[in-house]
Amino acid sequence: MSSTVIHDHGAHDSHAAHQPSFARRWLMSTNHKDIGTLYITAAVVAGIVGGGLSMLMRAQLMYPNNTIVSNGQEWNAIVTAHGLIMIFWLVMPALIGGFGNWFVPMMIGAPDMAFPRLNNMSFWFLVMGFIFVILGLVVGQGSGVGWTLYPPLTDSTYSPGVSTDFTLFSLHLAGISSLLGAINFIATILNMRAPGMTMHKMPLFVWAILVTAFLLLLAIPVLAGAVTMLIMDRNFGTSFFEPGGGGDPVLFQHLFWFFGHPEVYIMILPAFGIISHVVSTFSKKPIFGYFGMVYAMVAIGFLGFIVWAHHMFVSGISVDSRIYFEVATLVIAVPTGVKVFSWIATMWGGSIEFKTPMLFAVGFIFLFVVGGATGIVLANAGLDQELHNDYFLIAHFHYVLSLGAVFAIFAGFYYWIGKMSGHQYPEFWGKLHFWTTFVGVNLTFFPMHFLGLAGMPRRYPDYPDAFAGWNYVSSMGAFLSGISTLVFFYVMYRVFTSKVVLADNYWGEGATTLEWVVPSPAPHHTFEDVPVIR
Amino acid sequence: MRFSGWRVSLGALVLLAFGMPHLAFADGYVIAPKPWEMWLPQPGSPMEARIDHFMAFVLWIMAGVVGFVALLLAYVIVRFNAKRNKVPSTVTHNVVVEVLWTVIPAVILLVVAWPSINLIRYEADYQKPYMIVKVTGHQWYWEYDYKSVKGLDFTSYMIPDDKLQPGQIRRLSVDHPMVVPAGEKIEFEITSADVLHGFYLPSLGVQRYAIPGQIVHSWTLLTKPGTYYGECNQICGINHDAMPIEIQALPMDQYQAWVKKAQAEYADNTPNRTPAVVRPALVQLAQATR
């Protein structure tokens, strides 16, 4: 991992001198850094939309019998759009398209991605997909099917109108985008590493993106198949999932979760990569147990493909299936435990500086463990019978995503914003952002455990009055999280108006990967002369 | 409404017998969600009792794991702060601890998995019931077909907010609850007439999807006479939150009296088992069932 560069002239670049026009630079970009910036920008926009929808939902749920959302169909459309936007247009673009594009080529000493035009295409497919998912929300009655798209509710009989087709095609577009991106990452990482950068010297973030890309490559086509069958059922009279025509609604659930469970790890593995870098940098220590970390990710990726039906414990699958999928799911806790303990061991004996990225990383580790613990609870088919689809589940997956993946995105943002923009964030405001976010999201999602235990189902715009108390607390937490986002916008404003010039390696001795040997901001082209790693 | 006569007469009977419409049966034993509740509902069935027990077992183990990680993090944060520990160590491997943190979690998982598998088998054993109720989910109501009682098949709608009587629970009370004998094993044959629904009874530990074209089995045994609630727990359209489940358990003699009464009510009113849903516009349909 720790690598010495003996030869680098990456900073010198004749092309940087002539400025491409705005349209040429941003609409036709083939540069991995510019495309990374575009991805991050798109993720911020999607985050504002998806986060705005969650504010709307928490406002509606603040009191029972509330009328902010006018009817159940509108509510279902909001729930659907929130879920899809947060997964496909916030977490994935930020972690994979954004940080992945920016730092994978730099970390392996490559001048760019293997297929720059494909890279550009991936991004614009994503934008088109986002337009489609928004159309699915606003056109007609909206697509109120839940992000899991279970038929028969998705059939034309029960969701008439074009909005559900928009939602389904938006997944095709996002899927193509991810698939092309995955191919690009695999080709880049396997073929374009600088001399001396063997697989076992690759930084953990690169490993994380590589495993993620393989998960995408294998999972997305299954989603595409399932979505295509739904579109056929809706528009062309087939009955893959319609019992009336001999189809099976449960088949869709199998196909969806064969994609959907790896998707969970697609969202969290890049986060693992970022956390490893941040923890190592701010502890001023190399990562503890590098091989364990790498192969834990590979193991998680593999196990992610053989546990899908734990999302279907109440779909009438057999006893033996339930036992198998439960045990296989529990096994994932072992490699995940290896990651968590290795992060702590990396910190152990370190000289830790608690700058904002490190705060988010430590917050990530703790909250991910909380979410993982409730995951172990839910993995028990016998308990899932009680907790399936209720607010305990909502709490669980927001702990690993909203508090896990999103914390890692913020950790990555604060860690790399100096390298990307050339300006440092203001430390005080960064820390304020961390603490308001930390308190806000915990206040939002912890009471949901209680609501779930008491039996509150998900996707309800109105609920029995007994659930009012914890819902009120949860809404308060959500509004605090909303305010924390404003702090984040102020941080971005300060970054982009800052005049302070940064050193190449502004984090000092702990930051050892290749992106820290190029200037801040990283020049338009890096490593045109191949660096050699010893 | 098809069952208005039956509803009025049952209501009258209940009022005469007990005086309070909602808490009528079984000395007012009601298991419904409580404000600021922080744990599972009071168990209404042996299954829920076992779930409750096992849930506590797993959660305490997990609390131990989270607590252990929190302690480690707190120690590391305090002890290896840059102010206290100026020179970082360079240790990157330790085979013993790496083996330990792989093996110990695996052992903990075995401790969880063993009783968990027993619980799965217990929950799946719906054989030899006293009676079978076929539960059909519809947009947006439930239909209960008593397989052992000829012609006893009725629908169950949520009481709309503006028609609530004193003692009824908003969003949980229904016009015709499922009535079953207490202390007997009841098998549910769960299916759907249209989209997926979720037959979810938190205080009994029962949950299965209602899937069109399939019958999914589950079972319960209500320990005490009383009133129990559940809700639809799989997104099913505009009124997903407005199709709750209410189950009343009666002592056997009262149950048999109820069956006779119900049969008489239904004699001239053979139910249309799955009312053919002519597809009106979504919102129209929704209003019709509100």
Side-chain angles (χ1 to χ4, degrees):
Chain A
M1 255 240 349
S2 54
S3 37
T4 316
V5 177
I6 54 169
H7 179 67
D8 170 45
H9 301 292
H12 308 294
D13 171 37
S14 54
H15 296 290
H18 77 90
Q19 291 280 322
S21 70
F22 180 87
R24 200 170 178 80
R25 178 166 180 195
W26 295 111
L27 300 184
M28 298 176 231
S29 179
T30 51
N31 179 292
H32 72 103
K33 300 185 194 75
D34 283 352
I35 293 174
T37 304
L38 286 170
Y39 265 110
I40 292 170
T41 312
V44 170
V45 171
I48 293 168
V49 176
L53 292 176
S54 44
M55 290 301 122
L56 197 58
M57 288 192 281
R58 279 323 315 174
Q60 163 73 13
L61 291 176
M62 197 162 156
Y63 302 105
N65 204 8
N66 212 348
T67 52
I68 290 171
V69 174
S70 60
N71 66 50
Q73 179 64 21
E74 196 179 312
W75 175 262
N76 291 345
I78 292 171
V79 167
T80 307
H82 167 77
L84 290 173
I85 288 171
M86 288 309 204
I87 292 167
F88 290 93
W89 286 277
L90 167 65
V91 174
M92 288 171 67
L95 287 174
I96 306 168
F99 296 135
N101 252 313
W102 254 96
F103 294 106
V104 164
M106 276 206 259
M107 283 178 174
I108 61 173
D112 205 309
M113 294 286 280
F115 309 115
R117 283 175 209 285
L118 197 70
N119 204 6
N120 176 295
M121 200 163 138
S122 301
F123 174 73
W124 289 106
F125 268 124
L126 190 83
V127 174
M128 295 304 145
F130 188 65
I131 293 169
F132 270 49
V133 80
I134 295 295
L135 287 174
L137 172 65
V138 299
V139 170
Q141 295 169 329
S143 170
V145 293
W147 86 276
T148 49
L149 312 170
Y150 282 1
L153 187 60
T154 357
D155 289 349
S156 53
T157 322
Y158 303 105
S159 294
V162 75
S163 52
T164 302
D165 292 301
F166 275 128
T167 302
L168 294 175
F169 276 108
S170 80
L171 288 184
H172 266 322
L173 290 167
I176 294 168
S177 161
S178 299
L179 204 53
L180 298 181
I183 292 166
N184 214 341
F185 277 118
I186 292 172
T188 308
I189 294 169
L190 293 186
N191 296 308
M192 293 175 65
R193 298 189 311 279
M197 174 71 77
T198 59
M199 293 295 276
H200 280 163
K201 276 188 184 170
M202 275 188 345
L204 285 174
F205 181 66
V206 181
W207 263 108
I209 292 288
L210 181 65
V211 176
T212 303
F214 272 105
L215 295 190
L216 283 167
L217 194 69
L218 296 170
I220 292 282
V222 179
L223 173 74
V227 166
T228 304
M229 285 192 250
L230 266 186
I231 291 169
M232 299 286 278
D233 274 7
R234 285 177 58 80
N235 300 300
F236 303 108
T238 58
S239 43
F240 291 108
F241 308 126
E242 269 175 46
D248 181 2
V250 179
L251 172 63
F252 179 84
Q253 299 175 20
H254 280 291
L255 294 173
F256 182 84
W257 287 113
F258 189 83
F259 147 80
H261 200 76
E263 172 68 22
V264 172
Y265 297 108
I266 287 164
M267 287 187 276
I268 209 66
L269 285 176
F272 284 175
I274 291 174
I275 297 303
S276 295
H277 285 242
V278 171
V279 165
S280 161
T281 296
F282 290 93
S283 305
K284 304 193 192 80
K285 266 184 72 192
I287 201 81
F288 185 95
Y290 171 80
F291 290 105
M293 290 295 243
V294 168
Y295 288 100
M297 284 196 284
V298 174
I300 291 171
F302 172 74
L303 290 169
F305 275 105
I306 57 170
V307 297
W308 74 90
H310 68 214
H311 298 271
M312 301 163 57
F313 282 147
V314 303
S315 296
I317 61 172
S318 73
V319 174
D320 291 341
S321 302
R322 270 177 275 164
I323 292 171
Y324 160 71
F325 281 106
E326 160 179 328
V327 174
T329 305
L330 289 174
V331 171
I332 299 181
V334 175
T336 312
V338 169
K339 305 276 320 173
V340 169
F341 290 123
S342 297
W343 286 321
I344 296 176
T346 305
M347 292 162 70
W348 196 279
S351 176
I352 309 171
E353 276 185 87
F354 288 95
K355 298 268 177 55
T356 309
M358 188 61 175
L359 289 180
F360 273 105
V362 174
F364 170 93
I365 295 171
F366 178 65
L367 297 172
F368 189 79
V369 169
V370 175
T374 52
I376 298 286
V377 174
L378 286 160
N380 290 280
L383 297 178
D384 190 65
Q385 181 163 328
E386 174 83 25
L387 302 168
H388 181 92
N389 263 4
D390 74 10
Y391 264 74
F392 194 86
L393 170 81
I394 308 292
H396 156 71
F397 73 69
H398 281 97
Y399 259 81
V400 288
L401 292 178
S402 180
L403 288 71
V406 171
F407 267 46
I409 291 172
F410 282 130
F413 175 86
Y414 285 104
Y415 184 57
W416 281 317
I417 188 62
K419 184 57 64 182
M420 294 189 289
S421 72
H423 303 298
Q424 192 57 299
Y425 65 90
E427 193 62 53
F428 168 80
W429 289 96
K431 283 184 174 163
L432 183 71
H433 174 222
F434 169 76
W435 285 110
T436 47
T437 310
F438 187 85
V439 174
V441 290
N442 277 294
L443 203 56
T444 312
F445 296 113
F446 205 79
M448 290 187 183
H449 291 114
F450 305 141
L451 287 169
L453 288 168
M456 179 164 162
R458 74 194 285 198
R459 294 164 173 161
Y460 268 33
D462 190 8
Y463 47 82
D465 304 346
F467 299 131
W470 289 121
N471 267 303
Y472 183 81
V473 174
S474 180
S475 291
M476 285 298 139
F479 301 144
L480 179 57
S481 314
I483 292 168
S484 78
T485 312
L486 300 180
V487 178
F488 175 64
F489 292 151
Y490 179 69
V491 169
M492 282 205 285
Y493 168 78
R494 286 281 299 271
V495 167
F496 292 114
T497 53
S498 165
K499 298 274 180 281
V500 182
V501 180
L502 275 175
D504 294 5
N505 184 355
Y506 51 86
W507 296 127
E509 53 176 314
T512 55
T513 40
L514 275 180
E515 78 269 30
W516 304 110
V517 304
V518 302
S520 308
H524 206 56
H525 296 289
T526 37
F527 302 123
E528 286 191 312
D529 298 320
V530 177
V532 176
I533 290 97
R534 213 170 23 203
Chain B
M1 292 293 297
R2 269 189 290 147
F3 304 124
S4 54
W6 129 250
R7 177 168 27 170
V8 170
S9 55
L10 178 67
L13 176 82
V14 163
L15 276 169
L16 279 173
F18 298 96
M20 291 165 64
H22 173 62
L23 305 174
F25 296 111
D27 307 323
Y29 184 69
V30 176
I31 302 182
K34 292 189 277 291
W36 302 105
E37 204 167 353
M38 293 171 76
W39 187 246
L40 296 168
Q42 192 184 346
S45 69
M47 193 192 282
E48 175 66 13
R50 285 182 70 151
I51 288 174
D52 193 309
H53 186 257
F54 184 58
M55 179 81 182
F57 174 73
V58 178
L59 261 190
W60 275 115
I61 292 176
M62 287 304 125
V65 171
V66 173
F68 177 65
V69 172
L71 278 179
L72 282 180
L73 276 176
Y75 179 77
V76 163
I77 288 167
V78 174
R79 174 66 185 79
F80 299 109
N81 201 302
K83 289 186 198 101
R84 277 189 67 174
N85 196 34
K86 302 253 188 278
V87 185
S89 90
T90 52
V91 177
T92 58
H93 291 283
N94 184 328
V95 174
V96 175
V97 297
E98 286 182 71
V99 169
L100 280 182
W101 72 43
T102 312
V103 172
I104 293 173
V107 172
I108 293 175
L109 292 176
L110 273 180
V111 172
V112 171
W114 192 257
S116 181
I117 290 170
N118 288 335
L119 181 62
I120 293 174
R121 294 195 191 282
Y122 173 78
E123 287 174 348
D125 180 21
Y126 60 85
Q127 305 294 335
K128 295 186 190 143
Y130 169 76
M131 59 184 271
I132 300 173
V133 181
K134 185 180 177 194
V135 174
T136 309
H138 295 261
Q139 282 182 321
W140 290 271
Y141 58 95
W142 295 96
E143 178 191 351
Y144 304 125
D145 181 359
Y146 286 58
K147 303 270 278 217
S148 50
V149 186
K150 199 164 183 295
L152 187 52
D153 180 351
F154 59 92
T155 56
S156 178
Y157 283 84
M158 184 185 82
I159 309 272
D161 290 6
D162 54 356
K163 299 211 171 61
L164 279 175
Q165 303 293 319
Q168 290 181 327
I169 306 177
R170 200 182 74 87
R171 298 263 135 190
L172 285 178
S173 292
V174 302
D175 55 357
H176 308 294
M178 182 198 298
V179 180
V180 294
E184 298 289 350
K185 188 168 179 177
I186 320 288
E187 182 190 334
F188 298 122
E189 289 185 348
I190 303 160
T191 188
S192 167
D194 36 52
V195 300
L196 297 183
H197 298 276
F199 187 66
Y200 173 48
L201 302 164
S203 57
L204 304 178
V206 171
Q207 178 167 212
R208 283 291 179 274
Y209 283 174
I211 303 168
Q214 288 190 19
I215 287 179
V216 179
H217 299 270
S218 190
W219 66 277
T220 193
L221 187 155
L222 290 97
T223 326
K224 283 170 70 175
T227 307
Y228 305 80
Y229 294 97
E231 295 178 291
C232 176
N233 200 10
Q234 175 57 37
I235 188 167
C236 61
I238 189 167
N239 282 349
H240 167 48
D241 63 344
M243 48 181 294
I245 301 153
E246 182 176 342
I247 297 187
Q248 284 180 346
L250 299 180
M252 183 55 89
D253 53 337
Q254 286 182 36
Y255 167 73
Q256 279 166 349
W258 174 86
V259 168
K260 285 207 177 69
K261 182 96 182 127
Q263 270 178 313
E265 292 296 331
Y266 294 135
D268 58 340
N269 194 3
T270 312
N272 179 5
R273 282 173 172 266
T274 45
V277 180
V278 190
R279 304 218 46 80
L282 196 57
V283 175
Q284 238 178 312
L285 182 61
Q287 279 160 356
T289 54
R290 272 265 174 193

